[in-house]
Amino acid sequence: MRSIDRILLASAASLLGLPAAQAADLPVKKAAPIEYVRVCSTYGNGFSYIPGTDTCLRLSGRARFEYGYQASYSRNGGTTAAGPGDYSGYRGLARINIDARTKTDYGTLRAFLRLEAASRTGIPTIHSGTQNRIANAFPALGTDGFGRVQQYFNTDKAFIQFAGFTAGRASSFYDFYAHDFEIIASSMSSDVASTNLAAYTATLGNGFSATISMEDPSFRRSPLFSAQTAAVAAAATGNSSTALYAQTNALTPLFVGYSAAGVPTGVGFVDMIERNRLPDFVGVLRYDQPWGSAQLSAAVHELNVGNGALGTFVGTNLGTAVSNTNLRVLGRTPTEYGWAVQGGLKINLPFIAPGDTLYLQGSYAEGAGMYTGVTSYMGSYAGSASSIQGSAFSQFFNDATLNPFTNRLELSTTVSAVASLLHYWNPTLRSALFGSYGEVSFAAGARAAQGAYYSLTATGPGAPGTRFFELSQTLRDSYRFVVGGSLIWSPVKDLDIGAEAMYTRFGVQNGRVLDLSRFPGQNAAYVNNLANPVFTTTSVDAIQVRARVQRDF
C-alpha cells in the first residue's frame, strides 16, 4: 500500500510541479475503520452484535393467511346493524419480533418486542368482537362492513427480563397449554397472550422454579351481571331518548323500598362497572425435565362495583320509602375476591415419533372465569356471547351477580379440562387432536333473586314461577365441549400449510331454553300467554374449518 501511495503522490506532484521527494513527505489521510456486523452465537442462531455495542439483536417475524368457514343459523339481524349470515372469514396477519440481549454481571439483560397487525373479515371467530372489546382492533363503519370488517393492531409483547424479574407486556404466567397446538383456539384453556405484569421467577434447582406475578386485571374480566344498559335517569323516567346504550352504563337493580309487610316495592340501581384497583396476583410452581413439564398455577382476582344510584327509585312509591321504619340505608356493595387454580402436564413422546407431545390440563375458578378459559371461542370480555351466528341462545359468563336483597356479590363457578396431542407422521407432516369440556354455574338462587324485581323493571330473567322465567336464557348454568383435529405440512423449514376442523356444542345444564333462531319474537308477553306455542331447545352446535398458510423467519 505504501508503494501505491508513493506513486499516486508522485503523480500528483508532477501535475503540481513539485519535486517527487517533497511529494513523498505529504501527509496521507487514512479512512476511518469500518466495523462490520458480527455474529453473536451466545444466544442461538440469528443473533448479531449491534455495531459499537455488546448487545446481541435478533430480528424475526411472521406472515400468515387464514380462511375459515362456519355456517350461520340465521340471516336475520333484527335491530342490529350487522346481522348474521356470514359463512366465510379471512385474515392476513403480520408479526415483527425484536429480541435484544446483553451479558451482564447479573446475568442476561433482555428486552423483547412483538408487534402484530392484521386485516380480519367475516365470521365472528376471525372478525373478533373480543378484540374490539379490549381495543386491539378498529371496526369498519360502512353499511356492509360494520360488524364484519376489522383492522387489528396489538402491542403483543414489550417486556424486560433481568436477574429473574420480568416487567412489561407479556403472556400471563398463569397459562400453561394456551392453545399451543390449535389453529382456531377453540378449546377451553386459559390463554392471555398479552397482559401487563411485573413478576419474579426463582430457580429452585433440580428442574423446579417458582414465580409470583402481579398482573393487569383488565385482561381477566368476565363482566358482572348487568340487567340493563340504559342511563340511570332513563331507567327512572322511562325516557328512552336520554338513554346511553353503552357498556359504561351497565346497571343492575337493588331493592331499597319495602312495604310494611316487608314486600319489596321499589329498586335503586348499582353501577356494575369494575374499576382497576388491586392487581391480580398469580403464583406458579413449575417442574421441567427431559420427559416434559408440570405446572401448578393459582390466582386471586378482585371484583368490585361503583356507587349505588339510590336517589333514583323505580316502584310503587314514587321515590319515597313506605315509612321511615322501612327506609333502607345501604352502603357500597362490598368487594369480593375471586380465585382460580390450574394444573397442567406436558409429556414428550419421542418413543412414538420425535416431536410428539401430549398436554393434559384442568382448571377450577370462583368469580374468575377467564382463568378457566370457558369464554374461549364463544367470546371473552362479554357478559354473554355466542360466536355461532344466529344461535338459539347465548351462554352467560358473568363472574358474579348482585343479590338485590342482600347487596352482596355472589360468585359464579367455572371448570374446564383439555387434552391435546401432537403427532409427527414424518419430519414434514404433523397433526393435532384435541378435546375440551367446560361448565359455568351461578350461585344457588342467584337467578331467582335477579327475577324478583322483574315486575318493577321488566329486565333480567323474568318473574319466577312464569313460563318465561323457566325458559329464559338469562343466567342459565351451561356447558360446552369441543373436539377437533388438524393436518399441517411443512415442505421447507418455517413454512406451514395446513387445515383444522372442529365441532363444538354448548347447552344448558338443566331444562330447556327458548329457541330464538327459529322464533326471535318469543318475548315475555308472548311466552307467558299459555295459549301461544313456544319453540325451545337444549343446545346449539357448529362445525368450523379453517385453512392456514404461515411463514416464519
Side-chain angles (χ1 to χ4, degrees):
M1 291 297 295
R2 288 186 176 180
S3 299
I4 295 174
D5 290 343
R6 289 179 179 276
I7 293 171
L8 293 174
L9 288 171
S11 301
S14 64
L15 292 174
L16 297 174
L18 298 175
Q22 184 178 349
D25 294 333
L26 291 175
V28 178
K29 184 177 181 180
K30 296 184 178 180
I34 299 175
E35 182 173 355
Y36 294 95
V37 175
R38 295 176 294 136
V39 172
C40 175
S41 59
T42 305
Y43 306 110
N45 295 331
F47 283 90
S48 300
Y49 284 100
I50 300 175
T53 74
D54 57 356
T55 296
C56 298
L57 187 70
R58 184 177 188 268
L59 177 65
S60 60
R62 168 177 293 174
R64 174 190 292 172
F65 167 79
E66 287 184 344
Y67 169 77
Y69 179 89
Q70 177 177 296
S72 173
Y73 276 81
S74 173
R75 296 185 184 183
N76 179 14
T79 59
T80 62
D86 295 284
Y87 282 20
S88 295
Y90 305 83
R91 176 165 67 164
L93 178 140
R95 172 185 289 182
I96 296 296
N97 304 314
I98 299 175
D99 193 348
R101 307 189 193 189
T102 306
K103 187 180 297 184
T104 74
D105 293 339
Y106 301 94
T108 300
L109 169 61
R110 184 190 187 199
F112 184 83
L113 310 177
R114 174 180 291 166
L115 299 178
E116 285 191 342
S119 175
R120 306 153 66 108
T121 70
I123 58 177
T125 55
I126 292 185
H127 163 271
S128 172
T130 295
Q131 299 303 328
N132 284 341
R133 287 188 284 273
I134 54 173
N136 277 352
F138 313 98
L141 299 180
T143 300
D144 298 318
F146 181 75
R148 59 179 50 87
V149 176
Q150 178 184 71
Q151 298 301 314
Y152 168 91
F153 182 82
N154 182 27
T155 306
D156 187 61
K157 301 287 185 294
F159 62 81
I160 299 164
Q161 289 181 314
F162 178 65
F165 289 94
T166 301
R169 188 158 174 78
S171 298
S172 172
F173 279 90
Y174 184 91
D175 295 346
F176 185 62
Y177 167 61
H179 301 116
D180 201 11
F181 299 152
E182 300 171 43
I183 293 177
I184 303 174
S186 56
S187 70
M188 280 146 285
S189 169
S190 178
D191 185 4
V192 177
S194 303
T195 189
N196 306 307
L197 56 80
Y200 177 74
T201 300
T203 302
L204 306 178
N206 297 319
F208 285 98
S209 63
T211 299
I212 184 169
S213 180
M214 178 184 73
E215 302 189 359
D216 191 337
S218 300
F219 300 100
R220 288 290 190 180
R221 286 196 177 118
S222 293
L224 306 179
F225 177 73
S226 174
Q228 54 190 288
T229 56
V232 174
T237 65
N239 183 3
S240 61
S241 65
T242 63
L244 300 176
Y245 295 101
Q247 191 61 38
T248 53
N249 292 286
L251 309 168
T252 202
L254 178 67
F255 288 125
V256 294
Y258 288 80
S259 70
V263 177
T265 59
V267 295
F269 293 88
V270 176
D271 172 7
M272 298 299 287
I273 300 300
E274 295 186 78
R275 276 66 174 176
N276 280 7
R277 301 198 306 184
L278 284 180
D280 284 9
F281 293 101
V282 172
V284 176
L285 180 63
R286 187 179 175 98
Y287 182 57
D288 293 285
Q289 290 294 321
W291 57 263
S293 305
Q295 179 170 307
L296 181 64
S297 306
V300 177
H301 175 72
E302 182 194 39
L303 294 89
N304 62 76
V305 301
N307 289 326
L310 300 183
T312 300
F313 185 92
V314 175
T316 62
N317 225 26
L318 301 179
T320 304
V322 172
S323 69
N324 288 333
T325 303
N326 293 315
L327 177 64
R328 191 179 189 197
V329 180
L330 296 175
R332 176 178 293 175
T333 306
T335 294
E336 296 291 342
Y337 296 91
W339 57 276
V341 292
Q342 175 178 274
L345 191 64
K346 178 184 178 183
I347 305 172
N348 299 324
L349 305 172
F351 53 87
I352 299 177
D356 282 19
T357 308
L358 173 67
Y359 272 103
L360 300 171
Q361 180 176 283
S363 304
Y364 177 90
E366 293 186 8
M370 285 282 289
Y371 281 98
T372 59
V374 292
T375 63
S376 295
Y377 183 78
M378 302 309 290
S380 299
Y381 313 111
S384 64
S386 172
S387 64
I388 303 170
Q389 294 186 48
S391 62
F393 63 97
S394 296
Q395 283 185 284
F396 276 70
F397 300 115
N398 309 96
D399 280 337
T401 60
L402 177 65
N403 189 313
F405 296 97
T406 66
N407 193 25
R408 298 296 298 262
L409 290 173
E410 297 179 336
L411 306 185
S412 58
T413 299
T414 58
V415 295
S416 69
V418 62
S420 185
L421 173 67
L422 179 68
H423 172 62
Y424 280 81
W425 300 99
N426 59 52
T428 64
L429 189 66
R430 68 186 188 273
S431 57
L433 295 173
F434 57 88
S436 182
Y437 178 83
E439 290 185 354
V440 181
S441 302
F442 295 95
R447 191 165 183 271
Q450 291 296 315
Y453 56 72
Y454 189 84
S455 61
L456 298 174
T457 65
T459 60
T466 64
R467 183 163 71 165
F468 183 75
F469 178 82
E470 295 301 322
L471 299 177
S472 168
Q473 64 180 326
T474 304
L475 295 177
R476 294 295 291 269
D477 295 347
S478 63
Y479 72 90
R480 186 172 78 88
F481 70 81
V482 60
V483 292
S486 63
L487 183 64
I488 299 175
W489 178 46
S490 300
V492 298
K493 184 180 179 182
D494 297 326
L495 174 64
D496 288 345
I497 303 171
E500 180 176 281
M502 72 88 191
Y503 165 76
T504 189
R505 168 175 287 184
F506 72 89
V508 290
Q509 294 186 35
N510 296 289
R512 303 183 68 84
V513 292
L514 296 169
D515 186 342
L516 300 179
S517 64
R518 296 179 63 191
F519 190 2
Q522 298 183 102
N523 56 26
Y526 176 89
V527 174
N528 286 334
N529 184 345
L530 300 183
N532 292 328
V534 294
F535 299 89
T536 63
T537 186
T538 58
S539 62
V540 179
D541 54 13
I543 294 173
Q544 185 179 149
V545 178
R546 192 178 299 188
R548 171 182 289 180
V549 180
Q550 177 175 295
R551 166 71 197 278
D552 291 295
F553 60 88

